[in-house]
Every structure is written in C-alpha cells, then in structure tokens.
Amino acid sequence: MRRPWNIINSPVYSLATYDQDQVNMNICTYVTAISMTPKLYAIAVYHNTKTHQTLAHSKSAVLQLLHKNHTSVIRILGKKSGLKYNKQQYLSKKNLLTHWKNNLVLKEACAYLSLTKVDQIDVKGDHDLFYFKVDAFQTLNDQHILMFQDLIDAKIIL
C-alpha cells in the first residue's frame, strides 16, 4: 500500500529560476495555492540544490504546470542536479525552450505563473518552504496535465 502523501494524484510542476542569463528548472510536486487575494503559492524546495541556491539570491521565478508531453524530461529536471549539469543547454539542444514574459520556459506547458518571492521558511526538514505572490499567469491548456500518477505509471517514481 502507498504512503499517504503518495495517494493524492497532484499536478507536476517545474520551477524555473534565473541566475543572470541562465535558467535552471526542477520538478515540484509539493506546490499549493495558499491565498486567493492576493494569489499566493507555497512551494517546497530541496536543500542543497541549484534551485534553492538561486532562490536565496533572487526574487523571481516562473512556475510551469507541466503537460504529459514533458514526461520525457522529468528525469533530467528532477534527477540531475543543476549544480553539476547544465539543464538549459540540454533543453536548448532538444529545442524545448521558448520565451514567456522575457523568461526562458518549457514549450507546451499547460500554464505559466510569474512569481515574486515573499519569504522562505526553514521547516527543519529536507525542504524549505518558499512562498510567492503571483504577478501574472497564462493558461494555455487545461487538458493532459502531467500528474503524479503519470510518473508512477512511467516508473520514474517507484
């Protein structure tokens, strides 16, 4: 039987963070809206990652709601460290990047949310909790959203 936190079939996101002219992307499933007005999101980010390091010095990021077509890049975005691997170079070579609001993002995402960091909370676990204000968003597709169960079915998560 699955652990309680793996029973819920939540959407899969990628958080794009920007360090000067470089983008790094990860995989996030610990994401939730926490306020309607203003619209706020809470996102848990692993310690000792490029995403965490960049967010410590940056105020902005783009949250990308992934499409099922992104299943093929989950291992790169989620299992390779941006500290050791240039994800932007890989995604560029595969022609998987586009621009949205002057930021590099994944092509064919279901939605993009432009975020400004409000705060970071050390929750004494392996993630820190960041919360963000949504500055802008665009929904491109509300069908075929990549879900946690899709990652289990693809044997990416066991």
Side-chain angles (χ1 to χ4, degrees), residues 19-117:
D19 185 6
Q20 296 174 18
D21 62 343
Q22 291 291 305
V23 64
N24 183 64
M25 297 183 191
N26 70 353
I27 296 302
C28 299
T29 54
Y30 296 163
V31 174
T32 191
I34 58 171
S35 172
M36 292 189 300
T37 307
K39 184 56 96 180
L40 299 173
Y41 269 75
I43 303 172
V45 178
Y46 262 120
H47 293 162
N48 304 316
T49 62
K50 178 73 172 165
T51 298
H52 193 282
Q53 285 182 3
T54 303
L55 285 174
H57 304 291
S58 174
K59 286 275 189 200
S60 63
V62 174
L63 185 62
Q64 306 168 98
L65 179 57
L66 299 185
H67 187 279
K68 286 185 180 188
N69 290 343
H70 293 115
T71 304
S72 63
V73 296
I74 295 299
R75 284 188 173 90
I76 298 296
L77 300 182
K79 298 199 176 204
K80 289 196 178 273
S81 169
L83 295 171
K84 299 176 183 176
Y85 186 82
N86 188 327
K87 297 178 189 182
Q88 180 177 338
Q89 185 177 32
Y90 171 83
L91 294 167
S92 292
K93 194 179 292 185
K94 296 285 187 183
N95 195 30
L96 296 174
L97 296 175
T98 191
H99 285 88
W100 180 75
K101 297 211 174 282
N102 298 318
N103 291 300
L104 278 174
V105 293
L106 288 169
K107 286 181 178 178
E108 300 179 6
C110 291
Y112 302 114
L113 296 92
S114 176
L115 306 175
T116 298
K117 182 176 71 175

